[in-house]
Amino acid sequence: MLRAFRFIVELFTQRHGVVAFVFFLMLGFLMRQAPNFVRENIVSTALGSVFYPAQMVISSINSFRSVVSENEQLKEENARLRQETYYASEALQELARLHTLVRFDDKWDFPIVTSRVVGHNPGRFLTTLVINRGTNHGVKENMPVFSMKGLVGKVTKASYTHSRVQLLVDPNLKLSVIEKKSRIVGFLESVDGRMLTAMIPTHAGVKEGDTLVTSGLGGIFPKGIPVGTVKAVRKADLDVMRSMDVVPFQEFAALEEVFVMEKEPEWIIQELLDE
């Protein structure tokens, strides 16, 4: 059909008028003599040759629109599947954390309140958190706060539904610790709100890689909560002591859930120490 169309176009463009006249005259004569079904075939063939290019253009446009529409649908489906995969992954991680919490809760003699971190302090360094549990859930001031990795800090203010937690890296928090192997007691603090520093007697023989846990002294934190590992040991001002950098087990900026231990401070011990 395309060749016939080109042939007809060439007849007119090359100004072969006589040839074109004879061609159409013979065509008309043949159509008069031909049966009806032959005439219909000739007419349909001629019309198909004339409109074939237009039909191709229209078909190409429709095909392009169909591809574009299908592409948009595939993009939407891909985005939806990505979102569902993300939510499924988050749900699995949440399930793993809760499963670990069930086993972790049995290690202590005090009830545990599970809470979610809902805010950070706006300062330059992260020293406090806000959790979504308060006095309505049994949370009170000076209760220990920890995670599955280790000690986080303590509650410093409790409202009805929320509480503020003072982190271990807060310079105002002083902590009594014990080296896990030697069982020698020392104390730990943060000077700059980022790094932890411990002071332990020299005869303890503490070295890099050793573990520090809470000593249980002071009446607030129970004994045995992991605190961190010793990163470096150096001489202190006094020969009988060693100063050491400590890396906490807990990544404070990555906290999502924490546990509040419903252990009220042993004020009798504290009062005796103050006398």
Side-chain angles (χ1 to χ4, degrees), residues 39-113:
R39 287 187 229 167
E40 292 175 357
N41 287 337
I42 293 173
V43 172
S44 63
T45 301
L47 291 175
S49 300
V50 173
F51 292 109
Y52 179 72
Q55 291 175 347
M56 286 188 61
V57 172
I58 295 174
S59 177
S60 299
I61 293 174
N62 291 334
S63 177
F64 177 75
R65 288 178 177 174
S66 177
V67 171
V68 171
S69 176
E70 184 178 357
N71 188 37
E72 291 297 327
Q73 291 178 358
L74 290 174
K75 286 182 179 179
E76 293 177 0
E77 182 70 11
N78 185 37
R80 184 181 65 81
L81 291 175
R82 283 176 177 270
Q83 190 175 27
E84 290 180 355
T85 302
Y86 172 78
Y87 287 142
S89 176
E90 285 291 309
L92 288 175
Q93 292 181 16
E94 180 77 11
L95 182 62
R97 287 194 293 265
L98 292 177
H99 179 68
T100 306
L101 170 61
V102 171
R103 295 180 300 170
F104 194 72
D105 195 6
D106 297 333
K107 294 177 60 176
W108 308 100
D109 296 330
F110 303 93
I112 302 297
V113 177

Side-chain angles (χ1 to χ4, degrees), residues 194-211:
R194 293 181 301 173
M195 302 294 297
L196 294 175
T197 301
M199 296 289 290
I200 294 181
T202 303
H203 69 272
V206 178
K207 60 184 181 299
E208 182 178 341
D210 287 348
T211 301

